[in-house]
Amino acid sequence: MSFVSIDPTTEERLASFEAFDESEIERRLVRARSAFDDYRHTSFAERAAGLRRVADILEREKDEHARLMTREMGKLHGAAVAEAEKCAWVCRYYADGAADFLASEEYETAASRSVVRYEPLGAVLAIMPWNFPYWQAIRCAAPALMAGNVILLKHAPNVPQCALAIESLFARAGLADGVFQNLFVEVEAIPRVLDDAIVQAASLTGSVRAGASLASEAGARIKRTVLELGGSDPLIVMPSADLDRAVPTAIESRMLNNGQSCISAKRILVANAVADELEERFVDGVEGLEVGDPMEAATDVGPLAKLPILETLEEQVRVSVEAGARVRTGGRRPDRRGYFYQPTILTDAPAGCPAYSEELFGPVASVFRFESLDEAIELANATPFGLGASVWTAEQEEADRCARDLVAGQVFVNALVASVPQLPFGGVKQSGYGRELGPHAIREFVNVKTVWVG
């Protein structure tokens, strides 16, 4: 299988790259081993200087990197620029904070001295998705590199040029050969990579199926994993909610990245008291969105990244409608070239259909009504996923109840669910385990070493 870049707006084939053969995989692993032997002994200051140079390059070249993201996976150009800027932010966050996050700790025991040290493990295999092609890879790499590990990036097959550009970023920033490497390897080669002693951990952002497979392979080799998988996030709107803020946020969240974001509000849960008004506002807002070329500033929703994603979304909507869901707006492909799908709102989706509990990865929102907060929380939790959730209310008691009882990795009150460098990010249930970002992420892939001095 080759790694093929196709512009989802025009369906033009841009580039292709062959998967590495066994000899090239071995060469990359040898480089990783050699690099780790030296890099693990560098100081936090040296590592931070490299990450800051990565951030500087990203900011200088953000338009160039944004254009590459847009061409390869259809992200709106403005959003792609913001993604490059966010990557610079996360590099600087760990450059500034890693020394404190991993500072040795002393404890009083029967020993004359008891110390806990945080030391690097080796190479981290980063299996990353296409939907945020720079952010996902760099938010994984930044803390791991600052901890003294080295990185092997296995990126999604449809964004090979992004993968090469990211590898080039770290090389041009002056990181030593082998500290950050791209791997064009097929899924079948991942066990071979995990077999190597230098690879001590793996991080995956992707589907439940991919995460389960990696966890099984890594577990058989006693190697650590962090998994950030799918989501079917609820957005709960209570009667006291400010609809002037809640509705635009629901639209922004659901249509973010052309509907292809794990933490989008995919299920809009609305109290009966405000449901009619919210639905009308929601439909009006969605129908006003401009679908088109992601390079154009006026475009609100661009194409889906790949044809199979579009076909899967079509099938999920079709099955849901046949089961009884009602299309309020959208519900089909527009008559144009490219992998586009109309922004869509579904209501009345019955239990058991895809729109009720599955992840619809595209610009399709499902709206549900509820009578009480108890019912809302039960409905919100009625999914195998548990990534993010949000609640819109003016009542503190309701906000506190949702923060406590919603089963999710993060709960946002009167705000858009988002990831920021300072806070841990991840899920529960089939949304995965482990945490990226915040001080928590940098301790995922370290040896927590106890030193006892008698």
Side-chain angles (χ1 to χ4, degrees), residues 265-279:
K266 299 179 177 71
R267 295 177 298 138
I268 313 302
L269 315 183
V270 191
N272 283 328
V274 294
D276 288 342
E277 181 181 358
L278 181 138
E279 278 190 22

Side-chain angles (χ1 to χ4, degrees), residues 208-268:
V208 173
R209 181 178 178 182
S213 177
L214 177 68
S216 176
E217 295 288 354
R221 294 160 176 82
I222 319 298
K223 298 192 176 182
R224 299 186 192 184
T225 51
V226 167
L227 305 179
E228 196 264 279
L229 309 178
S232 185
D233 289 8
L235 183 150
I236 299 172
V237 182
M238 299 302 295
S240 63
D242 180 351
L243 297 188
D244 290 338
R245 293 180 59 213
V247 173
T249 302
I251 295 170
E252 178 186 0
S253 178
R254 189 62 202 98
M255 302 303 159
L256 178 70
N257 206 31
N258 308 328
Q260 301 164 121
S261 172
C262 294
I263 54 171
S264 287
K266 299 179 177 71
R267 295 177 298 138
I268 313 302

Side-chain angles (χ1 to χ4, degrees), residues 294-306:
M295 285 301 299
E296 298 292 333
T299 298
D300 298 303
V301 180
L304 298 181
K306 300 187 289 184

Side-chain angles (χ1 to χ4, degrees), residues 150-171:
V150 299
I151 296 290
L152 296 167
L153 171 64
K154 185 259 181 282
H155 220 322
N158 63 315
V159 289
Q161 294 182 98
C162 286
L164 291 172
I166 295 168
E167 182 183 48
S168 174
L169 269 175
F170 286 91

